[in-house]
């Protein structure tokens, strides 16, 4: 019998500085049959980021051409840089038999929601405003004005948690990863996802 019964699309959103990318990268490493969708971005790589590993880095002109051609499932302008999820890449991942997780902001999640594409949405909250500010200042070489802008946007984004199916607090990295993994496993066990396998087992009782 097949171990795979359906393919699920997960969305993880959080304010900048909450650690959503780190959380999801760790989640994918500890959860079988779960792939992280690699976003496209018009910004330049930072530090040791590599094209095709951290993001698909393209020029702004190329990104805008892709928008014009309708290639994105969702895209958003985030602090002056464009980020997007390629529709074809997402479809291919799901068709491969794996579940897929998108790390996107609330703008992107809203756009996916309007497509009607079935998905499970998870919002990751920082423990508090003060903790988020400390994380942003500790990790970033941005100016004080840029950090303030991120915090102002975060104030708006945290109020959007009600639009999501699940809310997880990133107070400790490993605990946060385990909580989201539990959500993934629970969603895989829902009746509609397990139906094909359950019917296959049922038929063995009817021989």
């Amino acid at each position: 019998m097949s171990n795979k019964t359906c393919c699920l699309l997960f969305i993880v959103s959080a304010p900048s500085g909450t650690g959503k990318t780190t959380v999801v990268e760790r989640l994918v490493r500890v959860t079988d049959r779960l792939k992280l969708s690699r976003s496209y971005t018009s910004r330049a790589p930072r530090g040791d980021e590599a094209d095709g590993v951290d993001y698909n880095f393209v020029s702004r002109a190329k990104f805008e051409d892709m928008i014009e051609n309708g290639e994105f499932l969702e895209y958003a302008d985030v602090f002056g840089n464009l980020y997007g999820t390629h529709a074809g890449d997402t479809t291919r991942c799901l068709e491969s038999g794996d579940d897929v997780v998108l790390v996107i902001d609330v703008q992107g999640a809203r756009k996916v929601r309007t497509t009607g594409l079935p998905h499970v949405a998870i919002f990751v909250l920082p423990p508090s405003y003060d903790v988020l500010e400390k994380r942003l200042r500790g990790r970033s070489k941005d100016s004080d004005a840029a950090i303030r802008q991120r915090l102002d946007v975060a104030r708006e984004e945290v109020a959007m948690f009600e639009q999501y199916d699940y809310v997880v607090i990133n107070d400790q990295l490993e605990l946060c990863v385990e909580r989201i993994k539990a959500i993934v496993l629970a969603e895989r066990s829902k009746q509609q996802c397990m139906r094909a396998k359950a019917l296959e087992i049922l038929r063995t009782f009817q021989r």
Side-chain angles (χ1 to χ4, degrees):
M1 290 184 291
S2 171
N3 290 323
K4 190 63 183 171
T5 54
C6 65
C7 295
L8 300 170
L9 178 64
F10 294 91
I11 288 174
V12 175
S13 301
S16 176
T18 303
K20 60 184 178 295
T21 301
T22 300
V23 166
V24 173
E25 287 175 346
R26 186 75 60 91
L27 172 71
V28 169
R29 288 200 294 270
V30 300
T31 310
D32 65 340
R33 305 193 314 277
L34 183 65
K35 287 185 178 179
L36 171 60
S37 174
R38 187 183 304 112
S39 297
Y40 284 74
T41 183
S42 66
R43 73 164 173 79
R46 298 170 183 159
D48 58 357
E49 288 181 335
D51 182 41
V53 177
D54 299 283
Y55 288 94
N56 293 311
F57 293 98
V58 297
S59 68
R60 190 176 187 92
K62 172 64 174 175
F63 198 109
E64 290 172 347
D65 284 343
M66 295 172 74
I67 293 174
E68 185 70 21
N69 294 330
E71 296 183 40
F72 289 112
L73 175 63
E74 61 79 28
Y75 66 90
D77 187 319
V78 183
F79 304 113
N81 296 303
L82 297 171
Y83 293 83
T85 302
H86 195 279
D89 290 351
T90 302
T91 298
R92 282 188 288 273
C93 282
L94 291 169
E95 289 177 348
S96 74
D98 290 319
D99 296 328
V100 177
V101 56
L102 309 181
V103 181
I104 55 180
D105 72 352
V106 295
Q107 297 179 64
R110 189 179 300 118
K111 289 181 179 178
V112 174
R113 198 175 299 117
T114 62
T115 68
L117 184 67
H119 64 277
V120 179
I122 304 166
F123 196 87
V124 180
L125 283 170
S128 68
Y129 177 91
D130 290 342
V131 169
L132 181 62
E133 181 176 11
K134 183 178 180 180
R135 289 177 182 175
L136 283 171
R137 294 190 180 282
R139 76 163 196 179
S140 178
K141 296 180 181 178
D142 290 339
S143 67
D144 184 70
I147 291 173
R148 285 294 170 192
Q149 182 187 16
R150 292 179 184 273
L151 289 169
D152 287 343
V153 172
R155 289 182 192 274
E156 299 175 3
E157 290 180 331
V158 295
M160 305 297 180
F161 78 89
E162 294 179 336
Q163 299 176 5
Y164 289 72
D165 302 303
Y166 297 92
V167 177
V168 177
I169 299 171
N170 186 14
D171 45 2
Q172 296 182 43
L173 176 60
E174 294 302 332
L175 285 176
C176 183
V177 171
E178 286 302 314
R179 290 166 187 152
I180 299 179
K181 182 178 179 179
I183 292 169
V184 172
L185 298 180
E187 287 292 327
R188 288 176 176 177
S189 295
K190 283 189 172 180
Q191 189 264 112
Q192 63 266 33
C193 202
M194 290 295 295
R195 181 174 177 79
K197 187 172 181 179
L199 289 174
E200 189 176 349
I201 294 172
L202 178 61
R203 284 193 288 272
T204 70
F205 285 79
Q206 297 172 338
R207 293 171 184 167

